């Protein structure tokens, strides 16, 4: 007999029979007691999660990003720290409009999403194989995508809706021209470029910001299918690009892309004839030449499609120190939309799944939710600020420079600055009747007496700042000796 592993239930209980249900007599019926049968059927019923609302059909592989040129003058991101540095990546390619089972050879943009597992968190570049997009205002996205999907009555693709939309929205023309060009149907995912498409920003150690666009140029050379070839390929093998990527990597024919950036200074942006944050426009190479950064290589296939590809979650909101956003309206909306989609599609704790987990320590105060893995923060406090030692702390060194929009600066403004937190609380105390004041003091003393002495003293200072009498009575009620430092000097 071969030395097979023991078959168990999901609870680890050894299974004696995986072929025959437990029945009353050989002809049945089956017994309720056959929990193993019920577990198998019930779990099977729950195998599907919602497919991505767009980009549902995709293929992915793991690999490395290697820095070949120094761009630390532009970005302090650790991923670019030194020439030769390697970072693990996951890349998912996709078509946009079709369902999870649709054909790969559709005339459609291709998604080109890269997750860089950096030591300061995951950086996702969720781009396409085109440098521009159909819309410049995110409000249009659902309407646009509806026209690319199925007609609500016929459940068929609807050329009338597609062209109805495009004919009414000329900002799509640049992307439509690319889509219907020879590059509209890449031969497979290996033979196409990738683009971050949006304008992003890079921030260096000195806190200086430049605007940037990311480019990934295929080292396999651009190759495409004609419309006729695409029709044939769709019939012969609807999964041809998925299969091509998998087989190339199995055969150690690892696909590579040259990664480079275009850079625009804030001063250049102010002089730029177009809006440099308009997603329907490119920046000319003659004005903003490509600057080499590194090489992306894919060299490992996922072992399990569902765990590592279907459950993968890419988001433009995932940027790391040294790489950031821009005022591009579509980018701004995507920052919200992707994690929102993933909380629905995968679940509130999707970032805890192995494929999405950062390869660096994670320390925050989020807790619970469906399927919280690991120790869920253990016994550590689940709020901040707090008085506990060793609790994760913010680090102002990571603050981005304010974004100056001319008449207004976007920044994290201190909400306490210029705000009086005490006067109205003091006024309320002062208009209370003596009986109401007494109840208030007793209620607070009853509750605060259960907190630590340091916390009591810190809180008493606030009561003093609202009203000296208020503070004194609480201190007395708690039996705390009043330190003059507790009383505001103006009192
Ligand atoms: C996937 C929304 C524009 C590239 C998705 C998903 C949503 C979405 C909800 C599914 C996410 C998931 O379930 O994991 C939007 C919205 C857009 C927009 C609201 C504009 C307002 C764009 C643009 C690009 C892009 C401009 C490229 C430059 C992608 C890619 C994926 C994707 C590559 C698939 C990521 C993966 O492989 O998992 N989009 N999108 N999208 N989108 Fe967008």
């Amino acid at each position: 007999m071969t030395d097979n592993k023991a078959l168990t239930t999901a609870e680890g209980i050894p299974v004696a029979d995986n072929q025959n249900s437990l029945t009353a007599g050989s002809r049945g019926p089956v017994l309720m007691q056959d929990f193993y049968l019920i577990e198998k059927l019930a779990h099977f019923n729950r195998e599907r999660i919602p497919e991505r609302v767009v980009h549902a059909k995709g293929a992915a592989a793991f690999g490395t990003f290697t820095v070949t040129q120094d761009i630390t003058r532009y970005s302090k991101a650790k991923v670019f720290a030194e020439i030769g540095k390697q970072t693990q990546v996951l890349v998912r390619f996709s078509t946009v409009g079709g369902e999870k089972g649709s054909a790969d050879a559709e005339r459609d943009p291709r998604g080109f999403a890269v997750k860089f597992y950096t030591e300061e968190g995951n950086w996702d570049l969720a781009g396409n194989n085109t440098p521009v997009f159909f819309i410049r205002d995110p409000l249009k996205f659902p309407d646009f995508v509806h026209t690319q999907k199925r007609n609500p009555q016929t459940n068929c693709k609807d050329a009338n809706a597609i062209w109805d939309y495009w004919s009414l929205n000329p900002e799509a023309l640049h992307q439509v021209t690319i889509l219907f060009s020879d590059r509209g149907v890449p031969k497979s995912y290996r033979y196409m470029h990738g683009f971050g498409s949006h304008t992003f920003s890079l921030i260096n150690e000195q806190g200086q910001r430049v605007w940037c666009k990311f480019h990934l140029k295929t080292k396999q050379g651009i190759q495409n299918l004609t419309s006729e070839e695409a029709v044939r390929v769709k019939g012969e093998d609807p999964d041809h690009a998925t299969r091509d990527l998998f087989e190339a990597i199995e055969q150690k024919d690892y696909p590579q892309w040259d990664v480079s950036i275009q850079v625009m200074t804030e001063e250049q942006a102010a002089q730029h004839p177009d809006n440099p944050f308009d997603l329907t426009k490119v920046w000319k190479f003659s004005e903003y030449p490509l600057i080499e950064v590194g090489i992306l290589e894919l060299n490992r296939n996922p072992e399990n499609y569902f765990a590592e590809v279907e459950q993968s979650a890419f988001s433009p909101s995932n940027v790391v120190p040294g790489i950031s956003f821009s005022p591009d309206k579509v980018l701004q909306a995507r920052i919200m939309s992707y994690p929102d989609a993933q909380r629905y599609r995968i679940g509130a704790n999707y970032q805890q799944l192995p494929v999405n987990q950062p390869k660096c320590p994670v320390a925050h105060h989020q807790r619970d939710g469906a399927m919280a893995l690991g120790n869920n923060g253990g016994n550590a406090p689940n709020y901040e600020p707090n008085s506990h030692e060793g609790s994760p702390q913010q680090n102002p060194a990571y603050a981005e420079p304010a974004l100056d929009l001319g008449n207004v600066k976007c920044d994290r403004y201190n909400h306490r600055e210029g705000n009086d937190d005490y006067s109205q609380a003091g006024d309320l105390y002062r208009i209370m009747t003596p009986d109401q004041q007494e109840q208030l003091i007793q209620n607070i003393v009853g509750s605060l007496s259960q907190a630590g002495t340091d916390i009591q003293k810190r809180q008493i200072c606030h009561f003093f700042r609202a009203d000296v009498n208020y503070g004194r009575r609480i201190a007395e009620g708690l039996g705390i000796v009043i330190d003059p430092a507790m009383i505001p000097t103006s009192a």
Side-chain angles (χ1 to χ4, degrees):
M1 233 177 109
T2 52
D3 195 12
N4 286 332
K5 277 186 285 182
L7 178 69
T8 72
T9 69
E11 300 278 350
I13 302 163
V15 172
D17 189 340
N18 193 34
Q19 320 305 324
N20 305 294
S21 301
L22 185 63
T23 51
S26 68
R27 293 192 175 187
V30 295
L31 301 191
M32 281 281 287
Q33 184 186 325
D34 193 352
F35 67 90
Y36 180 58
L37 167 69
I38 296 168
E39 177 183 285
K40 279 182 79 171
L41 294 182
H43 190 274
F44 175 77
N45 286 349
R46 291 162 177 78
E47 281 183 1
R48 301 286 172 270
I49 60 172
E51 64 177 34
R52 289 164 174 82
V53 65
V54 282
H55 295 260
K57 176 75 187 291
F62 295 95
T64 48
F65 168 69
T66 309
V67 178
T68 54
Q69 289 297 325
D70 180 19
I71 60 156
T72 54
R73 64 192 178 283
Y74 297 123
S75 175
K76 63 180 177 184
K78 293 263 165 66
V79 62
F80 305 130
E82 58 198 347
I83 292 175
K85 176 162 182 165
Q86 292 203 321
T87 300
Q88 298 302 306
V89 298
L90 168 67
V91 177
R92 181 174 180 273
F93 303 106
S94 48
T95 52
V96 181
E99 298 82 11
K100 189 168 174 287
S102 60
D104 288 341
E106 290 293 350
R107 184 170 296 280
D108 202 9
R110 300 295 185 267
F112 195 132
V114 189
K115 186 181 289 294
F116 298 79
Y117 296 98
T118 90
E119 69 251 55
E120 284 187 337
N122 292 344
W123 168 39
D124 292 353
L125 192 63
N128 278 341
N129 69 330
T130 56
V132 294
F133 199 58
F134 300 95
I135 59 174
R136 67 163 67 93
D137 191 307
L139 200 55
K140 311 216 50 102
F141 187 76
D143 299 283
F144 163 63
V145 171
H146 283 170
T147 69
Q148 301 288 311
K149 295 272 188 183
R150 292 174 186 277
N151 176 290
Q153 181 177 24
T154 63
N155 201 35
C156 296
K157 291 289 173 84
D158 185 348
N160 196 58
I162 291 172
W163 287 101
D164 191 19
Y165 179 90
W166 284 335
S167 66
L168 292 167
N169 294 279
E171 70 274 13
L173 193 60
H174 192 172
Q175 174 80 319
V176 168
T177 305
I178 297 173
L179 184 62
F180 285 86
S181 77
D182 58 327
R183 293 195 181 185
V185 191
K187 183 177 166 196
S188 85
Y189 296 130
R190 292 188 290 147
Y191 302 103
M192 62 186 205
H193 294 336
F195 301 86
S197 309
H198 296 283
T199 300
F200 293 89
S201 53
L202 297 179
I203 297 162
N204 66 13
E205 282 294 355
Q206 290 72 46
Q208 295 157 330
R209 177 191 287 109
V210 290
W211 305 117
C212 114
K213 284 186 184 282
F214 291 97
H215 298 254
L216 300 100
K217 301 267 183 200
T218 174
K219 284 173 87 85
Q220 291 68 242
I222 293 268
Q223 291 188 40
N224 305 301
L225 300 177
T226 62
S227 294
E228 295 71 29
E229 286 169 335
V231 169
R232 181 178 53 75
V233 167
K234 277 193 277 187
E236 287 175 0
D237 182 3
D239 307 317
H240 85 282
T242 306
R243 200 180 312 282
D244 174 77
L245 181 69
F246 187 87
E247 288 179 354
I249 293 173
E250 283 304 283
Q251 288 155 17
K252 300 195 176 1
D253 181 9
Y254 301 139
Q256 293 186 332
W257 285 262
D258 285 321
V259 179
S260 48
I261 51 172
Q262 284 180 292
V263 166
M264 185 188 280
T265 63
E266 288 181 300
E267 297 71 41
Q268 286 173 313
Q271 306 301 323
H272 195 68
D274 298 317
N275 173 3
F277 311 116
D278 179 345
L279 182 58
T280 68
K281 302 257 181 354
V282 295
W283 297 351
K284 288 184 180 146
F285 289 131
S286 54
E287 293 168 24
Y288 304 98
L290 286 180
I291 300 167
E292 181 184 327
V293 181
I295 292 184
L296 181 83
E297 177 182 277
L298 297 181
N299 48 33
R300 181 164 65 87
N301 277 318
E303 284 187 3
N304 185 280
Y305 186 86
F306 184 85
E308 296 169 288
V309 186
E310 196 60 14
Q311 293 196 119
S312 64
F314 298 81
S315 172
S317 55
N318 293 342
V319 291
V320 292
I323 305 170
S324 192
F325 311 122
S326 81
D328 179 336
K329 296 173 196 177
V330 179
L331 173 60
Q332 296 273 325
R334 292 181 71 203
I335 290 165
M336 176 286 299
S337 177
Y338 288 61
D340 176 58
Q342 289 148 5
R343 286 178 200 112
Y344 159 71
R345 181 169 71 81
I346 314 171
N349 285 309
Y350 69 94
Q351 288 133 321
Q352 296 181 10
L353 294 174
V355 70
N356 299 324
Q357 243 173 33
K359 309 270 182 264
C360 63
V362 172
H364 54 70
H365 300 90
Q366 292 164 27
R367 296 289 186 273
D368 309 353
M371 299 307 223
L373 305 177
N375 78 346
N376 191 35
N379 60 4
N382 57 0
Y383 63 94
E384 201 277 340
N386 61 53
S387 308
H388 298 260
E389 278 197 13
S391 199
Q393 298 291 311
Q394 63 195 31
N395 182 350
Y398 289 111
E400 286 187 14
L403 177 60
D404 192 346
L405 298 178
N407 52 354
V408 66
K409 283 188 179 173
C410 306
D411 208 349
R412 294 184 188 273
Y413 292 95
N414 183 346
H415 67 86
R416 297 225 171 84
E417 223 161 71
N419 278 320
D420 170 6
D421 295 323
Y422 300 112
S423 299
Q424 292 204 352
D427 289 345
L428 181 59
Y429 175 77
R430 285 183 287 274
I431 61 165
M432 287 181 180
T433 64
D435 177 53
Q436 286 172 323
Q437 286 187 348
E438 187 52 33
Q439 285 191 51
L440 172 72
I441 302 297
Q442 281 184 21
N443 290 339
I444 291 175
V445 168
S447 177
L448 190 52
S449 62
Q450 297 169 53
T453 313
D454 285 353
I455 294 173
Q456 290 177 357
K457 287 181 177 170
R458 191 195 297 143
Q459 184 62 35
I460 285 170
C461 293
H462 295 312
F463 294 127
F464 266 118
R465 274 154 186 73
D467 186 285
V468 173
N469 179 263
Y470 188 10
R472 178 164 290 124
R473 290 175 69 182
I474 300 276
E476 285 168 3
L478 290 168
I480 298 272
V481 178
I482 297 170
D483 179 337
M486 288 175 174
I487 306 171
T489 44
S490 58

